[in-house]
């Protein structure tokens, strides 16, 4: 009997040892510290305002820089929420690597038009129609002047600017939009000394296609400075005013 008791006791001790050993082996190393931050700003067809150094500085300013901290103490969700609260950032993703690096992917808000309205306001509008603050950086954007309210900028200007920016011809040809008091739209082209009048912002794609054909097959023959005003307000016709 004593041999049986010794064998059972030995098996119990061995089992406890194995459990403790496995637990210690699987326990994360709390001393592994963050070696650095790798920032990636996801690319877009339109230029943005942010740089990687600015994103790192945001984390430093908010006292959320993970560099030198144990990996287990880094709150990745808190970092994401802090970055997403910034006016120039739309979304952020953070995760750690086995090498001890914290990686951050940032999706920035992309400006599509600059508004300089009749009230003296000066701001940018992003792809979703939301206002963006002015920054020290500049990029080539369509400038929009005239009678522009925030709702008009969101519901009309942003969709119109997206149409223009997604078309290489109009993206290079249109430099300015002007909004009249009744909400109608004027275009200022890069080539040609005239104003193109779209009328009310409806059926924009069809109006721009009609204007494109007139540019390619009409003004190329008649001359780009022959008219002072070109209107495609009404369907199936183009009205031109001679200079």
């Amino acid at each position: 009997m004593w041999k049986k008791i010794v064998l059972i006791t030995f098996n119990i001790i061995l089992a406890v040892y194995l459990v403790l050993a496995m637990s210690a082996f699987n326990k994360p190393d709390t001393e592994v510290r963050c070696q650095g931050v790798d920032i990636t700003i996801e690319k877009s067809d339109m230029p943005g305002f942010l740089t990687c150094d600015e994103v790192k500085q945001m984390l430093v300013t908010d006292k959320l820089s993970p560099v030198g901290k144990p990996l287990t103490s880094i709150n990745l969700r808190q970092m994401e929420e802090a970055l997403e609260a910034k006016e120039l950032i739309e979304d952020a993703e953070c995760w750690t690597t086995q090498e001890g690096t914290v990686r951050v992917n940032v999706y920035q808000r992309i400006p599509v038009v600059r508004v300089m309205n009749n009230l003296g306001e000066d701001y940018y509008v992003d792809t979703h129609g939301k206002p963006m603050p002015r920054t020290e950086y500049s990029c080539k954007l369509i400038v929009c002047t005239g009678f522009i309210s925030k709702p008009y900028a969101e519901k009309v200007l942003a969709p119109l600017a997206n149409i223009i920016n997604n078309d290489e011809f109009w993206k290079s040809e249109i430099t300015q939009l002007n909004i009249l008091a009744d909400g109608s739209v004027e275009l200022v082209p890069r080539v040609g000394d005239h104003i193109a009048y779209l009328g009310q912002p409806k059926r924009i794609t069809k109006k721009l296609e009609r204007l494109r054909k007139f540019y390619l097959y009409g003004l190329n023959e008649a001359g780009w400075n022959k008219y002072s005003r070109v209107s495609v307000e009404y369907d199936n016709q183009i009205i031109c005013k001679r200079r």
Side-chain angles (χ1 to χ4, degrees), residues 32-39 55 59 62-67 69-85 91-98 100-106:
V32 176
R33 296 179 179 272
C34 175
Q35 303 300 314
V37 181
D38 183 9
I39 307 289
V55 176
L59 294 173
D62 291 344
K63 298 181 179 180
L64 291 174
S65 176
V67 178
K69 296 179 180 179
L71 292 183
T72 54
S73 70
I74 298 173
N75 190 328
L76 298 175
R77 184 55 194 159
Q78 186 180 17
M79 290 174 57
E80 292 174 346
E81 292 176 348
L83 291 174
E84 290 169 358
D91 192 21
E93 299 172 350
C94 303
W95 70 96
T96 58
T97 67
Q98 292 181 346
T101 300
V102 173
R103 291 188 177 173
V104 180
N105 270 18
V106 170

Side-chain angles (χ1 to χ4, degrees), residues 6 10 12 35 45 54 59 66 71 86 94 105-106 119 130 141 152 154 158 180-182 191 215 219 226 231:
V6 170
F10 175 77
I12 292 175
Q35 303 300 314
D45 294 334
E54 287 177 319
L59 294 173
L71 292 183
K86 307 301 181 184
C94 303
N105 270 18
V106 170
L119 300 176
K130 303 302 181 183
L141 292 177
Y152 187 96
E154 178 178 358
L180 304 181
D182 63 352
V191 180
Y215 279 1
L219 293 187
K226 184 175 182 178
S231 173

